[in-house]
Amino acid sequence: DDTLEPFDFKGFRYADILVPYGCRIADGDITATVRHYPFHEVLDFPLTHPRYAAKRKDLERIWRLCADTIQYGVQEVYMDCPTREKGQYSGDVSIMAPAHILLTGDGSMMKKALYEYARSSFIAEGMMTVAPASFMQEIADYSMQYPMQLLSYYTLTGDLDTLRELEPYATRSTEYFTRFAREDGLVE
């Protein structure tokens, strides 16, 4: 008998199990646990227009791949690659969070992410790139997405209270990076 007890979850897309000569795998003795944030898809494949009929199967497979990617990339936080990353990068939130809300109607994970980035502003005025995390990383390109993320959240949820509460963080972050603007508008 052999059992793998990993310290943390180990993601994989497939498994190739090599069995030594003379050993066999008993029926039902290999299992894996699928884990992700609760995912109840409410938006199904939307392309029903007749002009897509010829490509429908291909488009449905692409849709399923995209929806599955969102489903399995949302753990406790948004991660585009949970097999490689354990932190929530702001850039991933910009892409994954709106897709997650559109697929599920659930804005709670994006709201959580927005508050986590706002809370990181005591460490760095421009906010951290990864939050929550102990990894000190500041990338202006990512932090400057916060106002867009906040607007996206509000547009998708209509949650005006959260918008009002977090808007000052978006303003302070933008003002912080404005100090580093060159004449051409780029941040240096």
Side-chain angles (χ1 to χ4, degrees), residues 5-183:
E5 294 184 36
F7 170 74
D8 195 3
F9 72 86
K10 303 290 184 201
F12 60 90
R13 291 181 173 89
Y14 67 91
D16 186 11
I17 301 170
L18 305 175
V19 181
Y21 180 76
C23 293
R24 67 179 185 80
I25 298 173
D27 292 338
D29 278 1
I30 296 177
T31 60
T33 302
V34 175
R35 80 172 245 180
H36 52 77
Y37 182 78
F39 190 90
H40 308 287
E41 194 169 338
V42 295
L43 178 60
D44 199 5
F45 179 71
L47 302 175
T48 56
H49 192 278
R51 78 176 194 199
Y52 297 114
K55 298 271 187 195
R56 185 165 173 90
K57 286 251 185 263
D58 288 340
L59 292 171
E60 284 183 22
R61 287 199 326 265
I62 292 168
W63 175 267
R64 186 77 264 136
L65 174 66
C66 293
D68 288 349
T69 298
I70 295 297
Q71 178 176 359
Y72 296 110
V74 180
Q75 301 287 327
E76 304 79 25
V77 294
Y78 293 107
M79 294 181 287
D80 68 355
C81 186
T83 59
R84 180 176 50 87
E85 298 172 347
K86 300 292 189 210
Q88 175 172 251
Y89 278 82
S90 180
D92 295 342
V93 172
S94 293
I95 297 166
M96 294 178 70
H100 183 253
I101 292 173
L102 288 170
L103 281 168
T104 66
D106 180 2
S108 60
M109 284 293 292
M110 187 173 191
K111 181 177 181 176
K112 174 181 169 284
L114 292 168
Y115 275 97
E116 287 167 344
Y117 287 110
R119 284 187 207 104
S120 78
S121 65
F122 84 94
I123 300 168
E125 286 182 71
M127 298 187 193
M128 299 303 297
T129 297
V130 182
S134 62
F135 187 42
M136 182 75 174
Q137 189 173 31
E138 299 172 75
I139 301 174
D141 305 27
Y142 282 1
S143 296
M144 291 176 68
Q145 293 178 32
Y146 189 81
M148 175 193 68
Q149 293 169 350
L150 189 55
L151 178 61
S152 178
Y153 172 78
Y154 171 70
T155 301
L156 292 168
T157 66
D159 183 353
L160 187 57
D161 292 337
T162 298
L163 176 66
R164 285 184 177 135
E165 188 172 346
L166 295 179
E167 183 279 328
Y169 293 95
T171 298
R172 282 197 298 270
S173 180
T174 302
E175 289 170 350
Y176 171 76
F177 286 110
T178 300
R179 293 184 231 159
F180 303 101
R182 301 186 318 202
E183 286 184 23

